[in-house]
Amino acid sequence: MLGAGGREHALAWKLAQSPLCDKLWAAPGNPGIAQGATCVALDVTDHRAVVDFVSENAIDLVVIGPEAPLVDGLADSLRDAGIDTFGPSQKAAQLEGSKSFTKELCRRADIPTARYERCTSLEAAWGALKKFDAPFVLKADGLAAGKGVVIAETREDAQHALNEMFDGRFGSAGSEVVIEQFLTGEEASFFALTDGTAIVPIGTAQDHKRVGEGDTGPNTGGMGAYSPAPVLSAALQAQVMREIVEPTVRTMAAEGMPYSGVLYAGLMLTKDGPQLIEYNARFGDPECQVLMMRLESDLVELMQACAQGRLGEIAAPVLSDDFALTVVMAAEGYPDTPKKGGKIDLGDAEANGAKVFHAGTKLEGETLTSSGGRVLNVTARGGSATEAQAKAYAAVDAIDFADGFCRRDIGQREVRRERG
């Protein structure tokens, strides 16, 4: 398994539970992943080195966790060497790697999504901005670690944000910008597995992108999530499959870019029905953590079936009816300049059945310390959102991380619904 974050720890934790998994390698992994896997130092940008390591160690399946290696075409290099790989090809990963690619595919496949303009220069963006009303949704076209979206409340703020984007705020990801119509409704995430032909749902979730409580402050990679998302009723899920996911998979295959792996649809549930906000070509982070807590099926079997083109031959994924909720503990200063090196003592955080997934940690001798912006994903299950939330925050409170902080309202919207 390739990756080093909380998503990868959750995947490694679930993969290791499979009777089909004799040995699990992780590159580069993290201290949490190392509890159940052998971690090795591999440069995922060096495709030859990755292929050689997999071949030399007779590894049967490679799981690519993060988006950057997928967009870089690592799955193609592995498949060209005859190695079963979970994750889309470089061409298919454009669904995440380029916002404009996805928007144009939606237009061709008649998939419901917000009206948009693709802008390749600051001058073009200023002109396109006149076609929209506030608030303005501005998206860096390329990968920006979940931080490339700006919602500007005024035209002046939008112009300032566009100046920053084209001036390199998001690096090369902002060399093109997509301006979108602002959609009103509730956001939710829908996940499906596909081998390019067969498609099966693998759960729903809702996340919390803003850094501050009450959904305030700048967007982050995600400050917490819960699953399932009851707002996505069975009828709505069927509609999402019919109008969004299935047309996407069919169109990609018809255009010579068959999609294999997990397809993560970020949705806005509007008064006119679900509309696609964006696609991700991998499991969400931290949505993966709550999905893995609920998944009762064998993850290795599911991923191998995707990689080998036989997903339609095995049983569909089964998830627990329980709720799962995860709280992100981040380092002081996140998402701007997180403080690194803070000491962490997990104490008895897992005593009540919670699971602490490592997202940005390292060991200095015997001491666990922070090494990233999002540091821990404290995750728990319960018979309701209220119970899962209580268990997760009890685990958070058992952790000694003086340089860390978290939102205290993860899942609160669902808790309020349960209270009526």
Side-chain angles (χ1 to χ4, degrees):
M1 191 204 63
L2 300 175
R7 167 184 49 230
E8 287 75 37
H9 187 186
L11 290 173
W13 173 74
K14 199 64 185 178
L15 289 166
Q17 296 172 24
S18 170
L20 300 174
C21 181
D22 295 325
K23 183 175 180 62
L24 180 62
W25 300 86
N30 65 37
I33 293 172
Q35 295 169 9
T38 300
C39 293
V40 294
L42 275 179
D43 179 1
V44 296
T45 66
D46 186 342
H47 294 196
R48 184 73 260 164
V50 175
V51 168
D52 288 346
F53 180 87
V54 172
S55 300
E56 290 165 7
N57 289 279
I59 293 169
D60 296 318
L61 175 69
V62 177
V63 177
I64 303 175
E67 61 272 23
L70 294 168
V71 173
D72 189 43
L74 180 57
D76 302 80
S77 297
L78 288 160
R79 289 194 184 98
D80 288 347
I83 298 165
D84 286 343
T85 303
F86 181 83
S89 68
Q90 184 174 41
K91 286 183 177 179
Q94 290 180 92
L95 280 175
E96 177 165 6
S98 171
K99 302 292 189 299
S100 58
F101 173 89
T102 299
K103 283 294 190 179
E104 289 164 10
L105 179 135
C106 287
R107 176 181 49 78
R108 296 194 302 276
D110 197 26
I111 292 168
T113 190
R115 180 171 59 86
Y116 74 100
E117 290 283 338
R118 176 186 180 187
C119 308
T120 58
S121 70
L122 180 58
E123 292 73 19
W126 279 341
L129 199 63
K130 299 175 182 177
K131 302 177 183 180
F132 296 85
D133 297 320
F136 304 93
V137 181
L138 316 173
K139 295 182 177 181
D141 185 68
L143 297 179
K147 302 171 190 173
V149 179
V150 175
I151 298 175
E153 297 296 334
T154 69
R155 197 169 299 275
E156 292 73 21
D157 287 345
Q159 290 173 332
H160 176 71
L162 287 169
N163 287 340
E164 288 188 331
M165 292 170 101
F166 280 102
D167 197 36
R169 175 180 173 184
F170 300 114
S172 60
S175 60
E176 292 188 16
V177 171
V178 171
I179 302 176
E180 286 187 8
Q181 167 197 7
F182 182 83
L183 295 176
T184 301
E186 189 165 344
E187 288 190 46
S189 301
F190 181 90
F191 298 84
L193 298 178
T194 178
D195 59 8
T197 302
I199 314 165
V200 294
I202 191 172
T204 63
Q206 286 187 287
D207 71 343
H208 300 68
K209 285 293 186 189
R210 301 280 187 146
V211 72
E213 293 179 18
D215 293 325
T216 58
N219 274 329
T220 72
M223 293 299 294
Y226 61 89
S227 175
V231 70
L232 270 172
S233 64
L236 281 176
Q237 290 183 55
Q239 185 178 356
V240 170
M241 283 286 284
R242 183 175 64 251
E243 297 181 0
I244 297 177
V245 175
E246 290 173 358
T248 298
V249 174
R250 286 198 305 267
T251 301
M252 296 289 283
E255 296 181 355
M257 301 175 285
Y259 190 100
S260 174
V262 62
L263 191 56
Y264 162 11
L267 306 168
M268 184 68 77
L269 307 181
T270 74
K271 62 181 178 58
D272 298 319
Q275 295 203 41
L276 182 70
I277 300 173
E278 64 179 2
Y279 270 131
N280 289 317
R282 37 71 192 181
F283 281 103
D285 189 349
E287 294 93 339
C288 182
Q289 289 81 314
V290 289
L291 291 175
M292 292 304 106
M293 285 290 280
R294 294 182 58 227
L295 182 65
E296 296 183 343
S297 300
D298 187 320
L299 184 60
V300 173
E301 181 184 34
L302 289 167
M303 289 182 162
Q304 277 189 324
C306 283
Q308 296 170 359
R310 50 181 184 81
L311 185 61
E313 301 172 14
I314 67 168
V318 175
L319 286 89
S320 166
D321 290 334
D322 278 357
F323 270 83
L325 184 143
T326 190
V327 178
V328 171
M329 296 189 75
E332 179 184 332
Y334 179 78
D336 296 322
T337 308
K339 182 178 180 180
K340 298 182 180 181
K343 294 181 180 180
I344 304 166
D345 182 351
L346 297 181
D348 61 353
E350 296 186 345
N352 68 348
K355 180 66 182 176
V356 179
F357 295 115
H358 293 229
T361 66
K362 67 177 181 179
L363 282 173
E364 295 184 0
E366 297 295 316
T367 302
L368 186 68
T369 65
S370 65
S371 63
R374 293 186 295 169
V375 180
L376 302 171
N377 307 143
V378 186
T379 313
R381 267 176 57 170
S384 64
T386 302
E387 183 183 354
Q389 184 194 58
K391 286 184 176 181
Y393 279 111
V396 166
D397 293 337
I399 296 171
D400 184 3
F401 178 25
D403 291 340
F405 74 95
C406 67
R407 284 181 56 169
R408 304 296 303 196
D409 62 347
I410 302 302
Q412 197 60 36
R413 179 165 46 193
E414 202 56 45
V415 169
R416 284 195 298 267
R417 286 186 180 127
E418 289 179 351
R419 291 174 180 167

